[in-house]
C-alpha cells in the first residue's frame, strides 16, 4: 500500500486522538473532582477553575510520549511499519468506543487498563497472523509480546485496588478518631498538624508525580529531592504546619478548604501530566513511525520499527493543544458530571437515592462484614467502644427539601483525607516505578474512607457495596472487552485494509454520535419530567396543601399508564406495553421513596401533630395500593403479548376500552380538583363511586356469560378477569384516597 494510505491513517488517528481526549476527560474527571464537589468546600465554579489550571499546567509539563504505547506491551523491533499502524489504529478505535460506552452509563473506568489491554489484544492478533504466515507455533508469541512488562502493569493495577481501599479506610478511621465530626471546634493546632501532613503529601505529590520529568526544576534540584527525601519531607512538614496554623489562627481561613483546593489542583495536574499520554500516546507514536518510515524509502511491509524503542520528546504545541481540549471538555461535558455523580453517590455520608440494586455478592459481603465487626467488637472493652462511637456521632438535622441538593455528600475532613491519601499512594508508586491506574487509586481511596467513616450503614451498605462491585466489575469488563475488541478490529483491518478502516471509522463515529444524542435527550427528559415531592409541613393543613400537587401528578400518571396498558393489549403492541411497564416502575419507585422518608417526616413533627402523620401515612398507603394494581395490569398485559398468546376478542377489547373511558373521565376530574385545590368537589365524586363499581361488575358479569357460551381461550379469560378485578382494586384505592382528603380537607376549610 502506498504513502497516501498511511497518510490517511495518520489523519484518522489525529481525529481519533481528539475524540479520545474528550471521552477520556469525561471518564477521568472523577479522579480530581470527586472530593471537592462532594464536600462542597468551595463553589463548583471555583473547583472547575482550579482543576482547569491544574490540567493546563500538567499538560504543558507532561512527560510526553507514552512508553507503554511504544515498547511497553510489545517488542517493536519484531514488527514492520505496516503492522504497527494496524495495531495503533485498532487501539484508538476500540478506546474511544469503550470509554464512550462507560461514560454514557455514568461509570468510571480505567483508561490505563483500557489502553494496556487494547495494545495487548491488537499486538497478539497481528503476532498470530505473523506466526501463522511463518508456520510458527504458539511459543513464538512471546517473542513479539513484552510479557514481563505487561504482567507487571496488570499486577500493579490489581494490587493498587486492595492497597488504596485499605489505606484509605485506615487513614480515615484514625483521622476521624482524632478529629471527630466536630472538627471545627478543635484547637487550631490540631487543624495545623493535619494541614501540615496533608499539604506536605500533596506538594511532594506535585514534585515527584506531576513534575517528575518537567523542565521547571533543574536536574540538580530533582536529584537533591530524590537523594534527600526524608529531609525534604520533614522540612516541608514543619513549613506547612506553621503556615497552616497562621492561616487558620490569624487569617481565620479554614485549613481543610485549602487542603482540598490544593489537592484538587495536584490531582488535576497529575492527570493531565501523566494520563494525557493514555489518549495521545498512540497517535503520537504512529506519527513518529510514519515520519521515520517515509524518510527511509523502504516499503511499509519491510521497514522494521526498532526506532520506537528510543525515547522521543513530544512537541510542546501538541501538549498545549491537548490541554486546551481537555479543559474545554471538562467545562462542557455532561457525561463527566454523570461519572462524578456515581462516585459521589457511592461515598455519600447520608442515605440518598441509591443508584445500584443489591445483589447476592453484596449481601454476602455485608453479612460477613457485620459478623466480623461483631466478633472484633466482642474483644474490645465496652468503655473503649463507647468512646470510639462518640467520635463518629453526627447530630441529626432535618433539612428542608429545598436545601437537600445544597448539602455536601461528606465533610471537609474526609475530602482532605481522600486527596491526601491518593496523592501519597500515587507518588510512592511512581518513585518505586510501580505502574497503577489513577482512576483505581482515587476511586478506591474514596470508597475505603467512606466505609471507615460509617457512611455505609445498615440502611445503605448493600447498595453501596453493589455499586463498588459494579464499578470494579466494569474495570474487568473493560480489560476483557478491550483485549477482544482490539484483537478483532486489528484482524479486520489486516484483511480489509483501507475499506475496513473507513467502515470502522464510520461505525465508531456513528455510535458516539448516537450515544451523545441519546444522552442529551435523556438529560432533557430528566429536567422536564415531574417527580413526586416529599412533604415537609408539620401541620395537617400544610400537608394537604403540599400533597395536592403530588396527588394531581400521581393521578395523571396513573391515567396514562392504565390507558397505555389497555391500548397496548388491544393492539397487541409490545412497545406500548413496555412503556407502561417502565412508567409504573418509575412511579412505584417514587412512591417507595416517599414511604422511606416517613421517618424523617415524623421526626420533624411536634407532639400535637399525630393526626398529620396518620393522614400522610394513609395517603401514601393508598398511593402504594394504586401502584400495585397498575403494576399488575401493566405486567399482565406485557406477559400476555410477549408470550404470543391469542389476541383478546373484539367484545373484550370493547369493554376494556369503555372501562378505560370511565377511568379517564374520573382521573381527569380528580386531577383538576387537586390542581385547583377545590376539595369541596370531592364529595360529589365519592357519592357516585358505587356507579363506577357497578359498571366494572357489569363487565365481569358479561364475561362470565361469554365464558359459559362461546369463550374458548382460558388464557384470555384469566387475563380479562384479572384486569377487571385489578381495575376495581385501583378504583377502591383511588376512592379511599379521595375520602381521606374529603374527611380532612373539608373539615379544616
Amino acid at each position: 500500500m502506498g504513502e497516501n494510505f498511511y497518510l490517511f491513517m495518520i489523519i484518522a488517528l489525529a481525529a481519533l486522538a481528539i475524540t479520545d481526549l474528550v471521552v477520556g476527560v469525561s471518564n477521568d474527571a472523577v479522579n480530581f473532582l470527586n472530593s471537592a464537589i462532594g464536600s462542597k468546600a468551595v463553589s463548583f465554579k471555583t473547583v472547575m477553575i482550579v482543576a482547569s489550571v491544574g490540567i493546563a499546567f500538567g499538560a504543558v509539563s507532561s512527560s510526553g510520549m507514552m512508553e507503554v504505547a511504544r515498547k511497553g506491551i510489545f517488542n517493536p523491533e519484531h514488527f514492520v511499519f505496516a503492522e504497527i499502524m494496524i495495531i495503533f489504529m485498532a487501539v484508538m478505535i476500540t478506546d474511544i468506543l469503550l470509554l464512550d460506552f462507560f461514560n454514557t452509563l455514568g461509570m468510571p473506568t480505567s483508561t490505563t487498563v483500557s489502553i494496556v489491554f487494547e495494545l495487548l489484544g491488537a499486538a497478539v492478533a497481528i503476532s498470530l497472523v505473523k506466526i501463522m504466515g511463518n508456520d510458527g507455533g504458539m511459543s513464538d508469541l512471546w517473542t513479539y509480546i513484552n510479557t514481563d512488562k505487561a504482567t507487571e502493569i496488570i499486577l500493579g493495577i490489581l494490587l493498587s485496588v486492595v492497597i488504596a481501599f485499605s489505606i484509605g479506610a485506615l487513614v480515615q478511621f484514625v483521622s476521624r478518631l482524632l478529629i471527630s465530626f466536630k472538627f471545627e471546634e478543635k484547637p487550631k493546632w490540631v487543624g495545623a498538624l493535619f494541614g501540615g501532613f496533608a499539604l506536605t503529601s500533596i506538594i511532594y505529590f506535585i514534585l515527584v508525580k506531576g513534575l517528575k520529568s518537567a523542565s521547571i526544576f533543574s536536574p540538580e534540584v530533582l536529584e537533591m529531592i530524590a537523594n534527600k527525601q526524608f529531609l525534604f519531607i520533614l522540612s516541608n512538614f514543619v513549613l506547612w504546619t506553621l503556615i497552616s496554623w497562621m492561616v487558620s489562627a490569624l487569617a481565620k481561613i479554614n485549613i481543610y478548604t485549602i487542603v482540598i483546593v490544593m489537592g484538587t489542583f495536584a490531582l488535576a495536574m497529575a492527570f493531565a501530566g501523566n494520563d494525557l499520554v493514555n489518549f495521545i500516546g498512540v497517535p503520537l507514536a504512529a506519527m513518529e513511525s510514519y515520519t521515520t518510515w517515509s524518510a527511509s524509502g523502504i516499503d511499509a511491509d519491510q521497514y522494521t520499527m526498532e526506532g520506537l524503542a528510543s525515547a522521543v520528546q513530544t512537541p510542546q504545541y501538541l501538549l498545549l493543544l491537548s490541554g486546551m481540549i481537555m479543559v474545554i471538555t471538562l467545562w462542557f461535558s455532561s457525561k463527566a458530571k454523570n461519572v462524578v455523580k456515581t462516585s459521589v453517590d457511592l461515598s455519600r455520608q447520608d442515605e440518598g437515592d441509591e443508584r445500584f440494586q443489591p445483589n447476592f455478592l453484596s449481601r454476602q459481603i455485608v453479612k460477613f462484614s457485620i459478623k466480623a465487626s461483631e466478633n472484633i467488637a466482642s474483644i474490645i472493652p465496652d468503655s473503649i467502644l463507647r468512646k470510639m462511637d462518640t467520635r463518629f456521632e453526627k447530630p441529626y438535622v432535618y433539612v428542608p427539601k429545598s436545601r437537600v441538593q445544597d448539602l455536601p455528600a461528606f465533610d471537609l475532613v474526609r475530602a482532605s483525607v481522600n486527596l491526601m491519601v491518593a496523592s501519597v499512594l500515587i507518588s510512592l508508586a511512581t518513585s518505586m516505578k510501580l505502574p497503577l491506574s489513577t482512576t483505581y487509586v482515587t476511586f478506591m481511596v474514596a470508597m475505603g474512607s467512606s466505609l471507615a467513616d460509617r457512611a455505609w450503614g445498615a440502611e445503605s451498605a448493600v447498595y453501596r457495596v453493589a455499586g463498588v462491585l459494579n464499578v470494579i466489575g466494569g474495570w474487568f469488563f473493560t480489560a476483557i472487552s478491550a483485549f477482544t475488541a482490539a484483537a478483532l478490529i486489528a484482524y479486520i483491518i489486516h484483511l480489509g485494509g483501507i475499506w475496513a478502516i473507513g467502515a470502522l471509522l464510520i461505525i465508531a463515529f456513528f455510535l458516539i454520535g448516537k450515544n451523545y444524542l441519546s444522552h442529551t435527550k435523556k438529560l432533557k427528559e430528566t429536567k422536564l419530567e415531574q417527580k413526586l415531592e416529599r412533604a415537609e409541613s408539620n401541620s395537617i393543613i400544610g400537608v394537604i396543601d403540599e400533597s395536592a400537587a403530588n396527588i394531581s401528578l400521581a393521578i395523571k400518571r396513573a391515567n396514562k399508564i392504565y390507558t397505555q396498558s389497555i391500548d397496548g393489549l388491544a393492539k397487541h403492541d409490545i412497545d406500548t406495553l413496555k412503556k407502561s411497564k417502565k412508567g409504573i416502575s418509575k412511579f412505584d419507585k417514587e412512591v417507595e421513596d416517599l414511604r422511606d422518608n416517613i421517618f424523617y417526616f415524623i421526626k420533624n413533627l411536634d407532639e400535637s401533630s399525630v393526626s398529620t402523620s396518620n393522614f400522610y401515612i394513609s395517603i401514601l398507603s393508598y398511593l402504594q395500593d394504586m401502584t400495585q394494581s397498575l403494576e399488575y395490569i401493566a405486567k399482565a398485559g406485557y406477559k400476555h403479548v410477549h408470550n404470543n398468546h391469542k389476541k383478546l376478542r373484539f367484545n373484550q377489547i370493547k369493554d376494556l376500552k369503555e372501562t378505560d373511558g370511565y377511568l379517564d373521565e374520573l382521573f381527569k376530574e380528580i386531577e383538576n380538583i387537586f390542581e385547583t385545590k377545590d376539595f369541596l368537589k370531592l364529595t360529589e365524586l365519592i357519592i357516585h363511586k358505587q356507579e363506577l363499581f357497578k359498571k366494572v361488575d357489569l363487565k365481569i358479569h358479561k364475561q362470565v356469560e361469554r365464558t359459559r357460551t362461546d369463550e374458548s381461550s382460558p388464557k384470555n379469560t384469566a387475563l380479562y378477569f384479572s384486569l377487571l378485578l385489578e381495575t376495581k382494586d385501583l378504583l377502591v384505592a383511588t376512592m379511599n384516597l379521595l375520602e381521606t382528603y374529603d374527611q380532612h380537607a373539608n373539615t379544616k376549610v
Side-chain angles (χ1 to χ4, degrees), residues 23-266:
V23 295
V25 172
S26 297
N27 176 80
D28 281 6
V30 67
N31 292 353
F32 47 87
L33 295 181
N34 173 45
S35 295
I37 290 177
S39 65
K40 296 189 183 291
V42 290
S43 68
F44 179 75
K45 187 176 181 180
T46 303
V47 173
M48 296 295 280
I49 291 171
V50 170
S52 299
V53 174
I55 286 176
F57 197 75
V60 173
S61 61
S62 173
S63 57
M65 192 72 71
M66 181 176 65
E67 186 175 302
V68 72
R70 300 163 55 83
K71 57 179 180 178
I73 300 301
F74 56 86
N75 299 314
E77 64 273 15
H78 294 292
F79 294 88
V80 296
F81 173 68
E83 295 163 344
I84 286 289
M85 291 300 289
I86 291 175
I87 291 172
F88 289 158
M89 182 62 73
V91 166
M92 292 304 293
I93 291 174
T94 306
D95 203 51
I96 60 170
L97 287 175
L98 268 182
L99 292 181
D100 185 69
F101 172 72
F102 277 95
N103 294 343
T104 303
L105 294 179
M107 298 279 283
T109 192
S110 172
T111 52
T112 306
V113 169
S114 62
I115 204 77
V116 165
F117 279 90
E118 284 153 7
L119 282 164
L120 186 60
V124 165
I126 298 303
S127 299
L128 290 175
V129 169
K130 288 171 69 69
I131 290 168
M132 287 187 288
N134 297 329
D135 295 326
M138 286 299 295
S139 59
D140 296 333
L141 183 62
W142 313 125
T143 305
Y144 300 97
I145 305 301
N146 189 347
T147 52
D148 292 340
K149 187 66 176 178
T151 304
E152 181 188 353
I153 291 170
I154 293 165
L155 290 178
I157 290 171
L158 293 175
L159 189 61
S160 69
V161 174
V162 179
I163 293 174
F165 186 87
S166 304
I167 296 182
L170 178 63
V171 174
Q172 178 61 36
F173 180 75
V174 173
S175 299
R176 190 62 74 191
L177 278 180
L178 297 175
I179 300 172
S180 82
F181 277 100
K182 300 175 182 177
F183 57 92
E184 293 176 344
E185 301 174 8
K186 294 292 178 183
K188 299 298 182 185
W189 64 267
V190 175
L193 281 175
F194 183 88
F197 274 115
L199 291 173
T200 299
S201 303
I202 291 167
I203 293 298
Y204 181 72
F205 169 60
I206 291 174
L207 291 172
V208 175
K209 176 67 174 173
L211 300 176
K212 63 181 182 294
S213 59
S215 57
I216 293 175
F217 295 99
S218 66
E220 291 77 14
V221 172
L222 291 175
E223 187 179 353
M224 184 273 291
I225 292 172
N227 293 334
K228 299 180 180 180
Q229 286 187 21
F230 178 77
L231 180 62
F232 175 77
I233 292 171
L234 181 62
S235 58
N236 263 271
F237 172 68
V238 173
L239 174 65
W240 287 110
T241 301
L242 288 172
I243 292 174
S244 298
W245 183 84
M246 288 188 290
V247 164
S248 57
L250 303 178
K252 307 297 182 185
I253 298 174
N254 193 320
I255 188 60
Y256 299 100
T257 302
I258 294 175
V259 170
I260 290 166
V261 171
M262 286 286 290
T264 301
F265 171 81

Side-chain angles (χ1 to χ4, degrees), residues 498-644:
I498 192 168
W499 299 107
I501 292 172
L504 288 167
L505 288 174
I506 291 170
I507 292 169
F509 286 113
F510 170 77
L511 289 174
I512 290 173
K514 184 181 177 184
N515 284 345
Y516 174 77
L517 293 174
S518 174
H519 181 72
T520 305
K521 182 182 177 183
K522 187 177 179 181
L523 282 180
K524 287 179 180 177
E525 289 174 353
T526 303
K527 289 178 182 177
L528 291 173
E529 71 183 8
Q530 294 172 292
K531 186 178 178 181
L532 303 184
E533 298 289 350
R534 299 171 180 177
E536 291 184 340
S537 179
N538 58 8
S539 70
I540 195 163
I541 296 175
V543 173
I544 289 169
D545 186 64
E546 283 182 355
S547 300
N550 265 356
I551 301 303
S552 176
L553 178 59
I555 293 296
K556 179 180 180 180
R557 288 167 67 175
N559 192 13
K560 181 181 178 181
I561 292 164
Y562 187 87
T563 300
Q564 276 183 334
S565 299
I566 300 304
D567 285 349
L569 198 55
K571 298 173 184 176
H572 228 61
D573 182 3
I574 195 72
D575 290 333
T576 303
L577 291 166
K578 277 182 184 176
K579 288 178 182 177
S580 67
K581 260 185 71 179
K582 186 177 178 181
I584 186 56
S585 178
K586 188 174 184 305
F587 186 18
D588 183 58
K589 186 177 182 302
E590 289 180 23
V591 173
E592 191 65 33
D593 180 55
L594 295 183
R595 287 177 65 85
D596 289 343
N597 190 57
I598 285 176
F599 168 80
Y600 302 102
F601 173 75
I602 294 174
K603 290 276 282 188
N604 191 45
L605 299 175
D606 54 42
E607 293 180 3
S608 61
S609 302
V610 176
S611 59
T612 305
S613 60
N614 289 339
F615 169 75
Y616 188 60
I617 291 168
S618 295
I619 62 172
L620 288 183
S621 175
Y622 295 136
L623 276 177
Q624 189 170 48
D625 289 344
M626 290 173 65
T627 60
Q628 287 173 348
S629 294
L630 287 166
E631 184 177 28
Y632 182 88
I633 291 168
K635 287 184 176 179
Y638 176 83
K639 181 181 176 183
H640 186 85
V641 175
H642 191 57
N643 288 338
N644 296 307

Side-chain angles (χ1 to χ4, degrees), residues 704-723:
V704 171
E705 292 299 320
R706 283 197 292 263
T707 304
R708 294 177 62 186
T709 55
D710 60 349
E711 182 60 72
S712 60
S713 173
K715 294 286 186 187
N716 281 10
T717 302
L719 174 66
Y720 185 77
F721 279 131
S722 298
L723 293 176

